């Protein structure tokens, strides 16, 4: 059931046009890349509409294909914003070239995830012409607020009263050998560490905020975390990700801010993460007192998630891959993703199955086109199964 050469060529052409419209998160105007999609969808009689955030900026394009029979709705999701280019002079080809060389689609977004977006548009067009036979419906979310980390497109989709709430979502991140069915959650905080300020040359001894922050980092690095347990295969992880304080050399600063990222698991959740940090902070303040207590400000929390092998939509995707002759394993990812956001809303999601790739978020990003027909067929088969239709 692999895609035909004509279908594959059409997917690649659309992906090329998307890559040639730079859409770096927080840098480029998303209007041109959204316009390419809108023009293609209109040419295929597929209704779509833009979704906006609270300030009124576009954050996604939503396509909905309603079936002719009652049933649940499912969603395909791919981002069409991208990571920045980095050092453009270090690329061996133009980051926005969108060309094909030696069987690879090249340019920023080729892997993450403009090729998937083009493929999902084609699946929607295919289903649209046979929609009367489908149960429920299919939504395709084309997100332009993913790489910011805000996930504004997904948030707008879930908050839109006119949109059908999905029973599950398949996110088109790349990678051929694995279907990502879970991921660690996260708990993030900033910690304001105070100290005694003064002149660095003073004869009076002072313990400044940076010195106290260094001691805090040592305590955090030494904190014991539990090992992986149960069916969740990864342990929690704590990382100190930033430390900002002071200016110049003549002043001992009275404030230093430390950023902490903790990846959580079902056995060590956000509450446990916050408890650990508060225990460490209490030890800091007891051992090295300061004029003001250390302050903890949580900034984000997402739950971990993991789907069982027989839980949808993971089951449909894994079964479709097997039927297409692909050897694919279920994986729980270390980094968090939109699947964590969806899990917090009670919506099961897969967060990765696609073509092989190189240079994702780095130099010379490219996607292997030989994998595309099989990947296309897997998603199409999975969607048809979920919508109660035969391939």
């Amino acid at each position: 059931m692999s895609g035909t050469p004509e279908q594959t060529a059409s997917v690649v052409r659309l992906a090329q046009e998307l890559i040639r419209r730079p859409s770096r998160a927080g840098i480029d105007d998303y209007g041109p890349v959204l316009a390419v999609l809108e023009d293609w969808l209109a040419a295929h009689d597929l209704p779509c509409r833009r979704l906006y955030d609270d300030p009124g900026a576009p954050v996604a394009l939503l396509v909905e294909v309603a079936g002719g029979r009652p049933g649940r709705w499912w969603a395909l999701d791919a981002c069409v914003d991208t990571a920045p280019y980095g050092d453009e002079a270090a690329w061996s080809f133009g980051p926005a070239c969108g060309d094909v060389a030696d069987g690879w689609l090249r340019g920023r977004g080729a892997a993450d995830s403009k090729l998937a977006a083009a493929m999902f548009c084609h699946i929607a067009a295919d289903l649209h012409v046979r929609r009367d036979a489908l149960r429920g419906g299919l939504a395709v979310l084309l997100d332009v607020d993913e790489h910011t980390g805000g996930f504004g497109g997904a948030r707008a989709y879930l908050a839109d009263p006119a949109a059908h709430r999905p029973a599950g979502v398949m996110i088109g991140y790349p990678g051929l050998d694995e279907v990502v069915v879970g991921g660690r959650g996260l708990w993030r905080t900033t910690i304001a560490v105070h100290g005694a300020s003064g002149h660095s040359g003073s004869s009076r001894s002072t313990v400044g905020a940076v010195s106290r922050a260094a001691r805090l980092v040592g305590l955090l690095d030494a904190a014991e975390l539990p090992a992986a347990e149960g069916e969740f295969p990864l342990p929690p992880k704590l990382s100190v990700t930033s430390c900002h304080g002071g200016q110049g050399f003549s002043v001992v600063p009275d404030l230093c801010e430390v950023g902490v990222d903790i990846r959580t698991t079902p056995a060590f959740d956000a509450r446990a993460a916050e408890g650990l940090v508060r225990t460490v902070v209490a030890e800091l303040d007891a051992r090295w007192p300061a004029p003001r207590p250390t302050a903890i400000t949580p900034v984000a929390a997402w739950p971990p998630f993991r789907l069982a092998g027989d839980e949808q939509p993971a089951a449909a995707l894994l079964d479709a891959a097997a039927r297409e002759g692909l050897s694919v394993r279920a994986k729980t990812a270390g980094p968090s993703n939109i699947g964590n956001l969806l899990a917090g809303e009670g919506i099961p999601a897969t967060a990765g199955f696609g073509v092989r790739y190189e240079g994702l978020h780095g130099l010379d990003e490219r996607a292997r086109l030989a994998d595309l027909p099989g990947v296309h067929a897997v998603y199409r088969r999975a969607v048809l199964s979920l919508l109660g239709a035969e391939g």
Side-chain angles (χ1 to χ4, degrees), residues 35-250:
V36 168
L37 291 165
E38 288 167 330
D39 289 347
W40 191 93
L41 293 165
H44 291 78
D45 298 320
L46 276 168
C48 68
R49 55 191 173 91
R50 292 190 182 190
L51 302 180
Y52 299 87
D53 61 13
D54 289 338
V59 289
L61 197 64
L62 180 64
V63 184
E64 291 183 305
V65 178
R69 298 184 291 168
R72 294 183 292 177
W73 278 70
W74 303 88
L76 297 171
D77 174 33
C79 59
V80 289
D81 66 334
T82 73
Y85 295 154
D87 182 3
E88 295 186 46
W91 285 62
S92 64
F93 47 84
C97 68
D99 64 3
V100 175
D102 300 322
W104 293 82
L105 175 63
R106 307 194 304 178
R108 177 64 83 223
D112 185 16
S113 296
K114 291 182 175 181
L115 185 62
M119 178 180 67
F120 289 167
C121 286
H122 281 73
I123 291 174
D126 182 21
L127 268 59
H128 184 64
V129 299
R130 55 186 300 179
R131 59 192 179 277
D132 290 345
L134 307 179
R135 294 185 182 275
L138 174 71
V140 176
L141 182 68
L142 304 166
D143 195 338
V144 289
D145 190 39
E146 195 266 8
H147 284 84
T148 62
F151 296 162
R155 294 181 191 276
Y157 171 43
L158 297 178
D160 189 341
H164 295 272
R165 191 172 182 85
V169 178
M170 292 179 283
I171 304 165
Y173 295 136
L176 189 67
D177 300 324
E178 299 159 338
V179 171
V180 176
V181 298
R184 287 189 293 204
L186 60 79
W187 183 80
R188 290 173 175 164
T189 188
T190 57
I191 304 175
V193 181
H194 301 279
S197 63
H199 197 291
S200 60
S202 173
S203 59
R204 185 180 57 173
S205 177
T206 58
V207 179
V210 171
S211 295
R212 294 189 75 242
R215 292 166 183 172
L216 173 65
V217 171
L219 293 173
L220 289 168
D221 286 343
E224 291 190 10
L225 296 172
E229 58 182 272
E231 295 184 358
F232 200 87
L234 298 174
K237 181 182 180 183
L238 185 154
S239 301
V240 176
T241 57
S242 65
C243 187
H244 303 289
Q247 185 175 9
F249 298 94
S250 63

Side-chain angles (χ1 to χ4, degrees), residues 234-282:
L234 298 174
K237 181 182 180 183
L238 185 154
S239 301
V240 176
T241 57
S242 65
C243 187
H244 303 289
Q247 185 175 9
F249 298 94
S250 63
V251 176
V252 176
D254 59 3
L255 175 65
C256 185
E257 291 190 333
V258 176
V260 178
D261 176 290
I262 299 180
R263 298 301 162 131
T264 60
T265 68
F268 190 84
D269 59 10
R271 184 175 179 180
E274 182 171 356
L276 180 147
V277 169
R278 291 194 180 278
T279 297
V280 170
V281 163

